[in-house]
Amino acid sequence: MQLSCMSVVRLRPHHLLCIRGFKGRGYSERFVKNFQEVLRRLEQNPTIEIVEGGDDICSACPHFRDEKCLKSENSEYKVRELDCRVISRLKLSTGVKMSYREVSNLVQKIPKSELPEICGKCEWIKYCTE
Ligand code: SF4
């Protein structure tokens, strides 16, 4: 059996869209550095696991505390709703493991024009739709 040195990248559903639109901006220097490290890992086409709740991007976010998104009032609830919209749009489910290339191909099929409907009032949407 061939052993892989690549570790599984854990991603919550809406971060699949954030990855596509990432322009080097984020909530803190540590957050951006970690995001870039996740992108570097994804370039190797690792296995990704679609997770419910916090993931490998949330883990370095200043808003992530007690395993929750505490960015604003109700943000944990809102971000989970956003995750639900994305996962249902991709016709996937949490717990699924697949290659990053496979999931990325699905994400690329979502037109930018659909993002306002999916992402709602996300503060970063201007970067994803430009
Ligand atoms: S704002 Fe919330 S969902 Fe986004 S990375 Fe931070 S903790 Fe995760």
Side-chain angles (χ1 to χ4, degrees):
M1 185 170 67
Q2 197 180 1
L3 290 176
S4 167
C5 300
M6 281 189 282
S7 56
V8 172
V9 180
R10 300 172 69 257
L11 293 173
R12 65 189 307 160
H14 87 266
H15 279 162
L16 294 167
L17 287 174
C18 301
I19 286 165
R20 184 174 82 166
F22 183 69
K23 300 286 189 315
R25 294 176 175 85
Y27 301 114
S28 68
E29 197 176 319
R30 178 171 174 256
F31 177 87
V32 170
K33 276 201 174 129
N34 178 61
F35 205 122
Q36 288 164 336
E37 173 60 17
V38 169
L39 293 183
R40 194 194 59 73
R41 290 167 67 198
L42 293 177
E43 280 172 13
Q44 309 299 312
N45 190 30
T47 300
I48 65 126
E49 179 179 358
I50 301 184
V51 299
E52 192 178 326
D55 67 357
D56 287 356
I57 290 176
C58 294
S59 65
C61 180
H63 303 300
F64 192 61
R65 292 194 296 277
D66 300 328
E67 298 297 311
K68 288 190 173 72
C69 175
L70 302 180
K71 182 166 176 283
S72 60
E73 204 183 336
N74 288 334
S75 59
E76 173 67 12
Y77 174 76
K78 285 182 195 157
V79 88
R80 281 177 181 263
E81 267 196 338
L82 173 54
D83 282 333
C84 283
R85 285 199 292 279
V86 175
I87 197 104
S88 105
R89 177 63 179 78
L90 292 172
K91 296 188 172 59
L92 294 173
S93 53
T94 53
V96 161
K97 287 186 182 172
M98 59 203 295
S99 75
Y100 178 63
R101 198 164 296 141
E102 243 180 307
V103 78
S104 176
N105 286 341
L106 295 176
V107 172
Q108 295 305 332
K109 288 184 183 144
I110 301 179
K112 286 183 180 179
S113 58
E114 225 184 284
L115 295 181
E117 190 187 329
I118 298 172
C119 304
K121 295 193 171 107
C122 175
E123 67 188 281
W124 304 104
I125 196 160
K126 60 179 179 288
Y127 300 111
C128 297
T129 52
E130 70 188 13

